[in-house]
Amino acid sequence: MFDFLFDYAVLRLIWWVLLGVLLIGFAVTDGFDMGVGALLPFVARTDVERRVAINTIGPVWEGNQVWFILGGGAIFAAWPALYALSFSGFYLAMFLVLAAMILRPVGFKYRSKRPEARWRRNWDIALFVGGAVPALIFGVAVGNTLQGVPFHFTNDLRPIYEGTLFGLLNPLALYCGLVSLAMIAMHGAAWLAFKAEGPVADRAAKFGAKLGLATAVLFALGWILVAFGLLGGYEVVGTQAVAGPSNPLLKDVVVAPQAWLANYAVHPLLIVVPLLGIAGPLLAALGFATRRDGATFVASALGVVGIVSTVGISMFPVILPSSTNPAQSLTVFDASSSESTLRIMLIATVIFLPIILAYTSWVYKVLWGRVREEDVEAPGSAAY
């Protein structure tokens, strides 16, 4: 049925939107998981308090990572050139992320296997690393993407990456890493304030108010950098065949000081998205201060949606710019899989994505309610 509904150009746009949805789903759900891990040493001072914090995410973190897997799978299947360049160019950074994330399931499963304080403290450190490091590195990756990645193609479309790990750790990328870390930690604090009881929730609210302000300020500073041309962008010039072959050599791209603002000039209503990225954290900070925990979590989630969406909207149609050969940057219209592949994947997504949303909603409904100290200390409980 999709044969006559969507042509190649529309399918590419749909998959660009779906990729954004999957990445936002990961940032919103697994984001608060990582945020709780990053805040664990600061909001929980005793073993019982740490168990309370861990048990707010223990039953759901594994399901939340489905969005991470779906996002990686979508890049692999729908945007093979993007997958090849990003996962090979950022290989060492991805290795650090995966190594840190591997610590999480082991920490959840083994932390309470033994009662010794040293044993549990070591696993608490592992959970902190598993939350903070991915949050930071994901932001660093976004920062490098905004600046452009050093790659080019040969005449037979073989990608060549010319960067190094230390090249990725440049000041602007590290700044974006701080934005990401502050955002994720804020979201984790919102979840703890909403889901936990007692001192853990109280401390999370205090940290969350500061993190909400920090996220809003850091994100707004990024817009100032773009507006004053300190963070240049990439702009497709001339006409690009939106339904043409996936060949990044068939267009021209130039570096322009304010290119990342161009889409907002053409479609002014889009400015709502970055404004949401500022307003959401500010409203969350207010919610932390007034202890409106449910509204705080919603505001924090909306802030995450606004910040992540801003990156995609600002860069469109570019998805991975090349700093060494801008004309060979990848765009939505020249880096996708074939038309038939996108169509088959869309049919599968229409069938299975609602199922994932349905069972995820059911799980959260079943696990509704706050985690208390007496819950994790109760004999025979399944607490972590």
Side-chain angles (χ1 to χ4, degrees):
M1 65 176 176
F2 291 100
D3 290 30
F4 63 88
L5 288 178
F6 305 124
D7 60 18
Y8 199 9
V10 174
L11 284 170
R12 284 167 161 166
L13 285 173
I14 289 173
W15 271 103
W16 174 75
V17 172
L18 284 175
L19 178 60
V21 169
L22 295 175
L23 294 178
I24 289 171
F26 168 65
V28 170
T29 57
D30 211 32
F32 69 72
D33 288 350
M34 292 187 291
V36 170
L39 287 174
L40 189 60
F42 308 102
V43 300
R45 296 175 182 172
T46 67
D47 181 67
V48 173
E49 289 177 357
R50 286 189 284 272
R51 292 186 69 197
V52 168
I54 292 170
N55 274 272
T56 64
I57 58 173
V60 298
W61 73 269
E62 201 164 11
N64 290 342
Q65 284 200 324
V66 167
W67 296 100
F68 180 63
I69 298 170
L70 289 175
I75 295 174
F76 172 78
W79 311 99
L82 174 63
Y83 180 89
L85 279 165
S86 59
F87 279 72
S88 60
F90 297 160
Y91 181 81
L92 291 177
M94 291 293 182
F95 179 83
L96 290 175
V97 168
L98 292 176
M101 295 183 76
I102 287 171
L103 292 175
R104 298 175 68 204
V106 185
F108 285 123
K109 298 300 181 183
Y110 282 91
R111 182 191 183 276
S112 295
K113 295 295 185 182
R114 293 170 59 179
E116 290 87 353
R118 182 177 180 182
W119 170 271
R120 294 188 173 188
R121 184 171 59 252
N122 289 338
W123 287 118
D124 290 338
I125 294 173
L127 291 173
F128 167 76
V129 172
V133 170
L136 179 67
I137 297 297
F138 283 137
V140 169
V142 171
N144 280 281
T145 301
L146 289 169
Q147 296 176 82
V149 179
F151 71 87
H152 69 275
F153 290 91
T154 61
N155 291 333
D156 58 354
L157 293 183
R158 183 168 61 91
I160 305 295
Y161 178 80
E162 301 172 330
T164 63
L165 174 62
F166 294 105
L168 298 176
L169 302 177
N170 57 78
L172 187 56
L174 290 172
Y175 157 75
C176 291
L178 288 178
V179 177
S180 175
L181 183 58
M183 176 187 76
I184 293 299
M186 170 198 69
H187 200 39
W191 176 256
L192 284 173
F194 173 68
K195 191 67 176 174
E197 277 191 0
V200 172
D202 295 338
R203 294 191 196 104
K206 292 179 180 179
F207 277 101
K210 298 175 183 178
L211 289 165
L213 292 174
T215 302
V217 170
L218 287 170
F219 183 62
L221 178 60
W223 271 91
I224 295 174
L225 294 176
V226 174
F228 283 90
L230 299 177
L231 174 57
Y234 294 76
E235 180 181 358
V236 179
V237 295
T239 302
Q240 183 179 16
V242 296
S246 290
N247 187 338
L249 307 182
L250 302 180
K251 63 172 183 316
D252 193 18
V253 178
V254 297
V255 179
Q258 296 180 331
W260 294 149
L261 299 178
N263 288 331
Y264 302 98
V266 177
H267 305 286
L269 285 179
L270 291 176
I271 197 66
V272 172
V273 177
L275 289 178
L276 182 63
I278 298 174
L282 290 177
L283 290 173
L286 179 62
F288 282 121
T290 58
R291 292 308 303 270
R292 299 177 181 271
D293 299 330
T296 300
F297 184 75
V298 172
S300 175
L302 290 175
V304 173
V305 172
I307 292 172
V308 176
S309 300
T310 296
V311 177
I313 291 174
S314 300
M315 293 181 62
F316 182 84
V318 178
I319 53 177
L320 188 66
S322 169
S323 59
T324 53
N325 195 334
Q328 297 185 4
S329 300
L330 300 181
T331 74
V332 171
F333 303 111
D334 66 14
S336 72
S337 293
S338 66
E339 182 176 0
S340 59
T341 299
L342 296 182
R343 182 170 286 114
I344 292 170
M345 288 174 56
L346 180 60
I347 295 172
T349 301
V350 169
I351 296 172
F352 290 106
L353 187 59
I355 296 175
I356 294 173
L357 292 172
Y359 82 67
T360 300
S361 301
W362 178 79
V363 168
Y364 278 97
K365 180 180 179 181
V366 170
L367 297 172
W368 191 260
R370 293 180 181 265
V371 178
R372 302 169 299 175
E373 292 187 4
E374 50 264 37
D375 295 329
V376 301
E377 293 184 296
S381 70
Y384 288 84

